[in-house]
């Protein structure tokens, strides 16, 4: 498990995308790339919004990735170009401190998150100058982790360019931490699967300590991703961090209600550990402790015996200072319920019976209902798409990733895959010209792909 990301020798001319990237690099920088790095996006099969609560998740890497061509320059600058003209060129001298502007999450700041993570890990006073051309195929802001793939790709190339070496686990942890510089308090699932993924298998990702276990998906079903074509940029909105904060407050309130010291407890999983309770017992406790109505700041302060100032500085984050109402019952209920579904999903896969596909489908449907109704992280278009997928023959369908837009993942019996794709096309994409134009990159079958790697020209 402590292995490093693979270094693969590759014949560039046999791969169209790499060949084009190499040509663009040469046209832009007047030299050939020294090496390439790539890091995949992911689809989370089950376990949504629970990684930052300390619970295990069950994603797999997808084929779509972020790929970068890199050379080390003697100019002492980091200079970036993107093959997509929507993302502007960027340049910074290595002598300057790396600053990440949370107020304006431009693409190069995600790149710099990866650079900063490696710089801090090794205490590098002066980074090597790097020239990079970045090329991405993951639909952005759609729940398939384009941002983390970019951070992981940049972390890996910075490590390589500065002649350092780290295990995949260490890289995943560094990139998870450093992506938080952009302002979202992510849990680490995306960076973990981007480094730890292996072709042909989904992974159960567990935290503290970080580890990944193979999960063999059932034969006889395929996983299909469909994008509802509503984008949601996590760093430019506060939806995501509001949920993180609600879970943090719920942690403190549950701890307080059961006579534990809430200081030092930040994640819902920690309360469970302290109480030595099962997830089922935690669900009962949530019903006992929380009322279903929203909590005001005043009520929270009173229960926790803290001042409004402490609430703002110790529990709220920079972009959640404006929040007045907190839904604690619903959020905690989702988290403990979803954590239990992940465990069941893995055991159903491991057991492999005639009922496997039906049982997994049922868990996926419950997960979507919980995300929609308790966690309120879906949106009307995504709910409509999930309904269409179920009517089109999926056994299970749910939003994947952060939500509020983006993609659904559906499990479809293999023999129904073609008719499923056609039915979803007809019902969701074809009637709307904007969606129809996006269909090719928005509706596709996906298989578990490999993790991040360094590519060297043969
Ligand atoms: P996701 O759910 O895909 O991680 P986010 O909203 O968190 O979505 O991050 C999307 C951001 O990541 C984009 O706005 C952009 O800044 C960056 N990004 C994604 N893909 C690329 C790419 N191919 N090149 C450059 N930046 C990218
Ligand atoms: P995406 O889908 O990449 O926005 C986000 C978080 C994950 C996880 C999921 C919800 C980041 C980088 N990613 O994923 O850690 O919490 O939402 O399950 O913040």
């Amino acid at each position: 498990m402590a292995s490093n990301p693979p270094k693969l020798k590759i014949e560039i001319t046999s791969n169209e995308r790499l060949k084009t990237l190499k040509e663009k690099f040469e046209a832009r920088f007047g030299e050939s790339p020294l090496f390439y790095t790539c890091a995949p996006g992911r689809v989370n099969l089950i376990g949504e919004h629970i990684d930052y609560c300390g619970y295990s998740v069950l994603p797999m890497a997808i084929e779509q990735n972020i790929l970068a061509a890199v050379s080390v320059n003697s100019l002492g600058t980091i200079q970036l170009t993107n093959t997509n003209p929507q993302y502007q060129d960027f340049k910074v001298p290595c002598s300057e401190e790396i600053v990440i502007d949370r107020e304006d999450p431009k693409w190069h700041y995600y790149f710099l998150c990866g650079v900063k993570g490696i710089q801090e890990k090794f205490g590098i006073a002066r980074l090597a100058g790097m020239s990079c051309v970045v090329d991405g195929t993951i639909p952005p802001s759609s729940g398939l982790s384009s941002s983390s793939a970019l951070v992981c790709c940049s972390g890996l190339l910075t490590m390589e360019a500065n002649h350092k070496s780290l295990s995949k686990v260490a890289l995943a942890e560094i990139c998870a931490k450093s992506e938080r510089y952009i302002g979202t308090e992510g849990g680490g699932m995306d960076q973990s699967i981007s480094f730890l993924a292996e072709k042909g298998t989904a992974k159960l990702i567990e935290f503290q300590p970080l580890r990944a276990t193979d999960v063999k998906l059932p034969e006889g079903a395929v996983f299909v991703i469909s994008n509802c074509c509503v984008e949601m940029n996590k760093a430019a909105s506060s939806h995501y961090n509001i949920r993180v904060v609600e879970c943090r407050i719920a942690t403190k309130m549950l701890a307080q209600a059961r006579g534990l010291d809430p200081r030092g407890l930040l994640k819902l999983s920690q309360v469970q550990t302290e109480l030595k309770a099962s997830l089922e017992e935690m669900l009962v406790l949530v019903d006992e402790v929380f009322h279903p109505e929203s909590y005001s700041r005043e009520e929270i302060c009173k229960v926790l015996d803290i001042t409004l100032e402490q609430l703002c500085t110790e529990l709220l984050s920079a972009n959640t200072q404006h929040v007045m109402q907190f839904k604690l019952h619903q959020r905690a209920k989702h988290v403990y319920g979803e954590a239990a579904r992940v465990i069941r999903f893995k055991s159903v896969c491991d057991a492999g019976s005639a009922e496997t596909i039906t049982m997994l489908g049922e868990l996926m449907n419950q997960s979507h209902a919980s995300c929609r109704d308790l966690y309120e992280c879906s949106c009307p278009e995504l709910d409509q798409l999930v309904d269409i997928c179920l009517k089109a023959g999926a056994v299970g369908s749910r939003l994947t990733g952060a939500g509020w837009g983006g993609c659904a993942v559906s499990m479809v019996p293999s023999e129904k895959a073609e008719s499923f794709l056609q039915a979803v096309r007809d019902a969701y994409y074809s009637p709307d010209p904007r969606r129809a134009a996006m269909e090719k990159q928005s509706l596709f079958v996906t298989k578990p792909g490999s993790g991040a790697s360094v590519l060297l020209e043969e």
Side-chain angles (χ1 to χ4, degrees):
M1 182 55 77
S3 60
N4 290 5
K7 286 192 184 181
L8 310 171
K9 288 259 164 71
I10 187 145
E11 203 184 312
I12 302 289
T13 47
S14 66
N15 180 315
E16 266 316 305
R17 191 170 160 218
L18 276 168
K19 200 168 141 236
T20 312
L21 182 62
K22 183 180 176 189
E23 285 162 7
K24 287 195 173 148
F25 188 98
E26 287 166 345
R28 171 72 177 82
F29 295 116
E31 58 175 341
S32 290
L34 191 59
F35 65 90
Y36 303 79
T37 55
C38 65
R42 60 100 188 95
V43 56
N44 190 21
L45 301 180
I46 197 154
E48 225 58 82
H49 286 279
I50 60 171
D51 57 348
Y52 52 81
C53 297
Y55 285 112
S56 309
V57 292
L58 213 154
M60 64 190 195
I62 56 176
E63 180 194 328
Q64 290 79 350
N65 64 10
I66 300 280
L67 173 67
V70 190
S71 75
V72 173
N73 66 50
S74 53
L75 307 165
T77 58
I78 296 172
Q79 37 188 9
L80 310 178
T81 294
N82 201 296
T83 56
N84 182 342
Q86 174 193 334
Y87 301 116
Q88 285 166 11
D89 282 9
F90 173 78
K91 200 169 165 173
V92 65
C94 295
S95 53
E96 273 182 26
E97 189 196 341
I98 294 177
V99 179
I100 289 148
D101 183 1
R102 293 171 171 210
E103 301 300 313
D104 184 17
K106 290 201 176 85
W107 81 281
H108 63 257
Y109 289 125
Y110 292 90
F111 189 99
L112 291 179
C113 283
V115 177
K116 197 172 169 75
I118 296 298
Q119 179 173 41
E120 285 178 347
K121 164 73 189 170
F122 292 101
I124 303 171
R126 185 69 182 255
L127 287 159
M130 302 187 291
S131 308
C132 307
V133 181
V134 173
D135 179 61
T137 52
I138 310 165
S141 300
S142 302
L144 301 179
S145 272
S146 66
S147 60
S148 303
L150 179 54
V151 174
C152 293
C153 186
S154 123
L156 183 55
L157 70 84
T158 306
M159 178 188 91
E160 218 31 49
N162 288 277
H163 304 290
K164 302 291 181 193
S165 169
L166 284 167
S167 71
K168 296 186 222 179
V169 166
L171 275 161
E173 286 176 335
I174 288 165
C175 291
K177 182 167 166 245
S178 68
E179 188 168 345
R180 294 192 193 113
Y181 286 127
I182 209 80
T184 30
E185 296 190 72
M189 154 167 69
D190 307 344
Q191 303 83 359
S192 304
I193 191 68
S194 195
F195 281 110
L196 299 172
E198 282 174 302
K199 206 179 165 108
T201 178
K203 293 276 184 181
L204 178 79
I205 304 281
E206 297 168 272
F207 301 97
Q208 283 183 334
L210 174 60
R211 57 210 186 275
T213 313
D214 289 0
V215 178
K216 193 176 173 334
L217 297 173
E219 281 165 18
V222 292
F223 287 88
V224 182
I225 292 176
S226 51
N227 192 338
C228 79
C229 304
V230 174
E231 285 194 9
M232 203 291 284
N233 184 294
K234 280 193 310 292
S237 63
S238 54
H239 300 293
Y240 186 87
N241 278 0
I242 291 176
R243 294 295 177 274
V244 177
V245 161
E246 285 174 319
C247 290
R248 196 180 294 147
I249 295 172
T251 300
K252 305 267 178 198
M253 303 268 276
L254 277 177
Q256 177 91 355
R258 278 297 167 271
L260 301 172
D261 183 356
R263 287 170 301 177
L265 298 182
L266 290 168
K267 296 179 181 178
L268 285 166
S269 61
Q270 294 171 322
V271 187
Q272 188 199 355
T273 308
E274 289 295 315
L275 293 177
K276 299 186 175 58
S278 67
L279 285 166
E280 290 65 32
E281 287 167 334
M282 292 310 293
L283 283 164
V284 174
L285 184 61
V286 167
D287 284 336
E288 279 170 21
V289 171
F290 294 121
H291 56 66
E293 297 80 24
S294 299
Y295 284 74
S296 66
R297 294 170 166 228
E298 291 69 27
E299 187 175 1
I300 293 166
C301 289
K302 196 164 163 223
V303 174
L304 293 179
D305 193 22
I306 56 170
T307 62
L308 198 55
E309 201 199 330
Q310 280 176 302
L311 176 77
C312 292
T313 54
E314 291 167 23
L315 298 179
L316 303 187
S317 46
N319 68 348
T320 56
Q321 294 291 324
H322 62 286
V323 184
M324 293 294 162
Q325 299 287 325
F326 304 84
K327 292 195 180 176
L328 306 181
H329 179 263
Q330 296 82 342
R331 310 310 185 220
K333 194 111 188 156
H334 165 78
V335 170
Y336 290 125
E338 186 76 353
R341 280 187 286 276
V342 172
I343 296 170
R344 257 180 268 143
F345 195 99
K346 165 115 181 4
S347 12
V348 171
C349 286
D350 290 348
S353 77
E355 301 301 308
T356 300
I357 292 177
T358 320
M359 284 156 79
L360 297 182
E362 183 51 33
L363 289 168
M364 290 173 74
N365 293 336
Q366 286 169 8
S367 168
H368 184 73
S370 181
C371 285
R372 182 191 58 211
D373 303 333
L374 296 175
Y375 221 68
E376 297 178 284
C377 62
S378 190
C379 70
E381 293 83 353
L382 200 42
D383 291 336
Q384 186 202 355
L385 180 56
V386 163
D387 286 344
I388 288 173
C389 289
L390 290 172
K391 289 200 186 91
V395 194
S397 185
R398 56 180 298 279
L399 69 81
T400 186
W404 295 284
C407 292
V409 56
S410 303
M411 191 173 61
V412 182
S414 307
E415 70 279 7
K416 287 192 186 164
E418 275 314 310
S419 61
F420 171 86
L421 291 170
Q422 192 55 49
V424 176
R425 217 171 272 143
D426 292 347
Y428 195 78
Y429 294 95
S430 306
D432 177 317
R434 192 182 74 91
R435 289 179 192 163
M438 293 167 72
E439 188 217 295
K440 199 166 170 292
Q441 68 273 27
S442 300
L443 178 67
F444 52 91
V445 175
T446 189
K447 290 198 177 89
S450 3
S453 57
V454 179
L455 308 174
L456 300 165
E457 186 159 9
E458 236 176 21

